[in-house]
Amino acid sequence: MSSGQPQILIIEPFYGGSHKQLIDTLVECLNLTNYELFSLPAKKWHWRARTSALFFSQLIPFDHNYKVLFTSSVLSLAELIGVRPDLIACRKIVYFHENQLVYPVREVKTRDCQYGFNEILSCLAADIVLFNSDFNRTSFLDNVQPFLNIPPDFKLKHIREKIENKCEVLYFPIKFHALTNDRRIVDVKLNADANLDRDCLHLIWPHRWEHDKNPDLLVEVLLELSNRQVNFKVTICGESYQEVPEAFEGIRQKLGSKLINYGHLSREEYIKSLLAGDIVISTASHEFYGVSMLEATYCGCYPIAPNKLVYPEIYPKPNLYSTTNSLIKMLYNWCRSPEHFRRHRVQFFESFSFDKYSAEHLVPKYLDKMGISSNLRQSES
């Protein structure tokens, strides 16, 4: 084997969204000759999870010098190693953006347990298992045994203990500087003397249009605020798919001129909206990290999120709500008193730190987990 062959094998069966964002952020810091990336487009997730191990087993060269294998949990690592035992000597790292043991489904009886079992097997085959949040790690580990209790005629035990020692939390690295290279834009926005629409707060909901982001709750809250005749405007953006959530039907007519952006935005327009926003809202019934919330917060939006899931790990208590009524009350009070809100927002940003979520802080930690020596990293200018 030539010593000039790539030493880092990166596999991403679902190369899109946050999965692509992570890989692109990491490889930017590597020399091009020292890694090889095998990927599939981010569609048909279920088929990627079922078949990508076999697909990549045929694609990855047998003549290689790989020392590290990095992949997301979409890949069934145990299957890949089973048919490609030449890869077993690699330092095998699996990264969990989410986990299928607790990923919400509309009907429990429709859950396909195979995806969860594949993730458990991948953890057993891996050397290092990384989660993007403590909530993700804890929810996975706490549900290993209940998941293994599903088979009706035998019980599997002591699997959690075998996995837990491999598990670590490494936050998702966000390139905040790519959102706005000029932090002064946000500083002006947060300045009480800035020339803004002083009487109307701009609410942002930047999430995927899917049931686990709970669009029904968003609509309920917005319509109640509108009924109470408080002044606000709102942007509903994020990725939308073929089916528009039932809750969004007729929303433009119901909110009228209050709804100033509706639908997926280009990256440039998305960032402009975040910079123009005052409050970013999550109504999620499930969230393992929340990149869009942190991006909006970096752009100067005050975050309001449920007091559950990953959010207590990231945001202080005053930013969290426990019930629908408490969310409505919080927004109602802020919308009635924009000046009071803006003073409160300034206080929030005086104490909130983005450092531990930044790519600048986190990427070196990823590379260290891979055992990548400094000569395999791009020289910094």
Side-chain angles (χ1 to χ4, degrees):
M1 293 181 213
S2 167
S3 60
Q5 290 178 308
Q7 295 184 30
I8 306 161
L9 170 61
I10 301 173
I11 304 172
E12 181 46 74
F14 198 75
Y15 190 55
S18 61
H19 290 237
K20 181 178 187 297
Q21 198 174 333
L22 173 63
I23 299 302
D24 291 352
T25 299
L26 294 180
V27 300
E28 280 178 4
C29 301
L30 297 173
N31 289 320
L32 287 172
T33 56
N34 284 303
Y35 74 88
E36 202 158 8
L37 169 62
F38 293 89
S39 65
L40 284 166
K43 57 183 180 180
K44 303 183 188 301
W45 179 90
H46 296 88
W47 283 111
R48 299 293 188 253
R50 288 186 188 278
T51 64
S52 61
L54 182 58
F55 174 79
F56 289 122
S57 74
Q58 296 181 308
L59 205 60
I60 295 166
F62 283 87
D63 179 20
H64 63 76
N65 192 36
Y66 299 131
K67 308 295 184 189
V68 179
L69 189 167
F70 184 94
T71 185
S72 75
S73 60
V74 177
L75 178 77
S76 180
L77 179 62
E79 289 182 8
L80 177 65
I81 297 301
V83 293
R84 287 294 305 270
D86 55 297
L87 298 173
I88 199 167
C90 294
R91 181 195 292 248
K92 299 172 291 299
I93 305 172
V94 176
Y95 190 80
F96 278 74
H97 293 265
E98 62 283 312
N99 79 73
Q100 291 300 310
L101 303 196
V102 294
Y103 200 88
V105 291
R106 290 180 179 176
E107 297 288 341
V108 173
K109 63 184 178 182
T110 67
R111 182 184 294 278
D112 188 331
C113 295
Q114 189 60 51
Y115 304 122
F117 283 113
N118 284 353
E119 289 184 345
I120 291 171
L121 286 167
S122 289
C123 290
L124 291 170
D127 299 298
I128 300 173
V129 182
L130 300 176
F131 291 87
N132 63 351
S133 67
D134 188 59
F135 167 70
N136 195 357
R137 182 189 69 87
T138 303
S139 64
F140 180 83
L141 289 173
D142 286 350
N143 282 278
V144 166
Q145 194 56 54
F147 216 79
L148 295 177
N149 289 339
I150 291 174
D153 57 346
F154 63 87
K155 299 301 175 188
L156 296 157
K157 297 180 179 180
H158 310 302
I159 302 298
R160 173 183 172 140
E161 291 85 347
K162 292 180 180 179
I163 294 173
E164 189 165 11
N165 290 336
K166 305 178 182 183
C167 295
E168 303 176 46
V169 174
L170 204 50
Y171 286 136
F172 182 95
I174 302 175
K175 294 194 290 184
F176 289 119
H177 65 276
L179 289 168
T180 168
N181 287 314
D182 189 348
R183 184 65 188 176
R184 288 175 297 176
I185 296 172
V186 179
D187 292 339
V188 168
K189 171 181 173 177
L190 299 178
N191 188 326
D193 297 324
N195 183 22
L196 299 168
D197 186 346
R198 309 307 306 166
D199 299 323
C200 183
L201 296 187
H202 183 181
L203 314 180
I204 307 280
W205 192 83
H207 309 285
R208 282 184 290 105
W209 291 18
E210 291 190 341
H211 72 99
D212 61 301
K213 303 307 176 188
N214 205 348
D216 299 70
L217 175 57
L218 173 73
V219 172
E220 179 183 352
V221 169
L222 293 178
L223 293 181
E224 178 60 25
L225 291 176
S226 184
N227 290 338
R228 295 189 186 190
Q229 299 183 336
V230 290
N231 201 11
F232 70 92
K233 53 189 175 183
V234 61
T235 286
I236 299 175
C237 55
E239 288 185 284
S240 54
Y241 299 93
Q242 292 180 346
E243 291 186 14
V244 174
E246 186 177 340
F248 284 173
E249 292 180 7
I251 189 67
R252 282 188 273 203
Q253 291 75 22
K254 292 173 183 175
L255 290 177
S257 60
K258 286 180 165 58
L259 184 57
I260 61 172
N261 288 300
Y262 177 77
H264 183 66
L265 298 173
S266 68
R267 187 67 177 174
E268 182 181 357
E269 290 300 316
Y270 168 70
I271 293 170
K272 282 183 181 178
S273 289
L274 298 186
L275 289 169
D278 292 300
I279 296 174
V280 61
I281 304 167
S282 171
T283 52
S285 56
H286 218 86
E287 186 63 79
F288 292 100
Y289 189 70
V291 172
S292 61
M293 287 292 290
L294 278 165
E295 287 181 339
T297 305
Y298 185 80
C299 289
C301 295
Y302 181 82
I304 296 180
N307 187 21
K308 59 182 180 179
L309 313 173
V310 70
Y311 295 119
E313 199 173 328
I314 297 176
Y315 302 108
K317 269 193 171 181
N319 296 75
L320 307 176
Y321 64 89
S322 297
T323 66
T324 300
N325 285 339
S326 62
L327 172 58
I328 292 170
K329 182 179 179 180
M330 192 182 298
L331 290 171
Y332 176 72
N333 288 336
W334 290 139
C335 289
R336 286 181 66 202
S337 183
E339 291 299 325
H340 182 211
F341 161 77
R342 291 189 173 98
R343 288 193 297 270
H344 181 82
R345 178 172 60 177
V346 169
Q347 293 174 357
F348 166 81
F349 280 101
E350 285 174 349
S351 60
F352 189 82
S353 174
F354 294 93
D355 291 347
K356 63 181 178 179
Y357 313 109
S358 71
E360 184 179 21
H361 171 74
L362 288 166
V363 168
K365 296 180 182 294
Y366 279 85
L367 301 184
D368 287 340
K369 293 298 176 192
M370 295 183 193
I372 296 172
S373 59
S374 58
N375 67 318
L376 295 183
R377 306 182 187 187
Q378 286 188 358
S379 57
E380 296 182 5
S381 56

